Amino acid sequence: HFSVKTRTDKKRIEKRYNEIKENLKSILVKLNFGNEDIIKILSFNIFDQLCRADWFDPDWMFGINNGFDIVIGNPPYVRQERIKDKKEELRKQNYEVFEGTADLYVYFYEKGYKLLKSGGVLCYITSNKWLRAKYGYKLRKFLKGNMKIIKIVDFKGYQVFEQTVDTNIIILQKTKPNSGNFFEFVNISDKNIDDILKYIENNKNKLEQSKLSYNGWTLEDNS
């Protein structure tokens, strides 16, 4: 729809979409979806690039059924104390990274992994607490075993956002890591850096992925 040039072609696609939507409606009814859910699904306007929703289905929304090439995001930082009513729901969804004391962003890592196609790339900026906190054990194990780490920037003292949360940026690839995979890392503890991008470029180190411990990721050179 977004790539075709003529109004006639766009109208043809929209007509076909409405036919599919009516067919989908009857299927959802047969599957005993509630009226509220059916309305949510069918009212989503796939022709509006700015349309938003509180649910997500890549096939219905984007025609993507074999995974995305890239998932990039800034998951919400919500402390585990504020999602007490959601923990049982998260447990039932069988997240491998589930931990009763984990903050919300932890689950976004596994969700992002599942949305990628094989060889796809994930790039997140989140709190850096998972690198060392006890609740990050399963996440560290999951990422180390399932993804190739490309780069980690750990902002230990540098405030990326106005909030006081310390952050990290991580880039990973959805492929089983080989035993000799090295990734780049940068530790930033100085709060007063004028050109942060230049600092990152000039202070890169390398670490072998297999050296990372499930108990906590220490981003330091071999010495």
Side-chain angles (χ1 to χ4, degrees):
H1 183 270
F2 294 123
S3 61
V4 296
K5 304 299 182 183
T6 68
R7 184 65 181 160
T8 301
D9 284 334
K10 289 185 183 293
K11 284 294 184 181
R12 173 181 53 80
I13 292 170
E14 289 177 16
K15 180 182 178 182
R16 177 63 181 141
Y17 163 73
N18 286 324
E19 291 171 354
I20 294 172
K21 189 166 70 170
E22 285 302 310
N23 186 41
L24 177 63
K25 180 179 180 180
S26 63
I27 293 172
L28 294 176
V29 170
K30 290 178 181 178
L31 292 174
N32 296 317
F33 273 66
N35 285 335
E36 183 179 344
D37 290 334
I38 292 175
I39 291 171
K40 268 189 178 185
I41 294 168
L42 299 183
S43 63
F44 180 79
N45 184 3
I46 68 172
F47 303 113
D48 180 1
Q49 295 186 71
L50 300 179
C51 188
R52 60 185 180 180
D54 62 357
W55 57 281
F56 186 67
D57 185 282
D59 192 2
W60 177 239
M61 292 176 165
F62 302 106
I64 300 293
N65 55 27
N66 63 341
F68 289 94
D69 295 303
I70 185 167
V71 170
I72 184 169
N74 172 20
Y77 182 64
V78 181
R79 293 181 61 83
Q80 60 95 9
E81 294 89 351
R82 293 175 56 195
I83 56 170
K84 289 181 179 179
D85 60 331
K86 301 292 184 184
K87 289 182 181 179
E88 188 56 32
E89 184 179 338
L90 290 166
R91 186 195 302 274
K92 289 179 180 178
Q93 293 184 47
N94 296 315
Y95 278 98
E96 291 185 46
V97 301
F98 177 84
E99 178 59 55
T101 57
D103 295 336
L104 183 62
Y105 70 86
V106 166
Y107 304 99
F108 278 77
Y109 276 98
E110 185 172 340
K111 186 66 174 179
Y113 170 86
K114 291 178 178 177
L115 289 172
L116 286 172
K117 64 171 57 174
S118 179
V121 173
L122 182 144
C123 179
Y124 276 174
I125 181 168
T126 68
S127 163
N128 66 1
K129 296 297 185 292
W130 69 274
L131 291 169
R132 290 164 284 272
K134 184 177 180 181
Y135 71 67
Y137 179 92
K138 291 180 181 178
L139 176 57
R140 292 189 293 269
K141 184 177 181 181
F142 178 84
L143 296 181
K144 181 182 176 181
N146 292 287
M147 303 194 78
K148 178 181 178 181
I149 304 171
I150 299 173
K151 179 180 289 188
I152 302 177
V153 180
D154 188 6
F155 297 93
K156 293 181 177 179
Y158 185 89
Q159 294 299 310
V160 177
F161 303 113
E162 292 182 1
Q163 293 88 341
T164 58
V165 177
D166 290 337
T167 57
N168 74 265
I169 293 174
I170 190 167
I171 303 174
L172 308 125
Q173 185 176 26
K174 187 176 181 178
T175 184
K176 285 287 184 180
N178 56 53
S179 58
N181 179 57
F182 280 80
F183 65 91
E184 292 182 346
F185 72 90
V186 181
N187 285 319
I188 304 175
S189 54
D190 190 346
K191 297 181 180 181
N192 302 304
I193 299 175
D194 294 328
D195 191 334
I196 189 66
L197 295 179
K198 185 177 180 180
Y199 182 92
I200 291 172
E201 184 64 28
N202 293 335
N203 290 273
K204 292 184 291 188
N205 290 285
K206 285 193 174 183
L207 182 64
E208 191 172 0
Q209 183 166 336
S210 62
K211 296 289 181 66
L212 294 173
S213 168
Y214 296 152
N215 292 324
W217 286 7
T218 302
L219 304 178
E220 301 290 350
D221 61 29
N222 287 331
S223 63

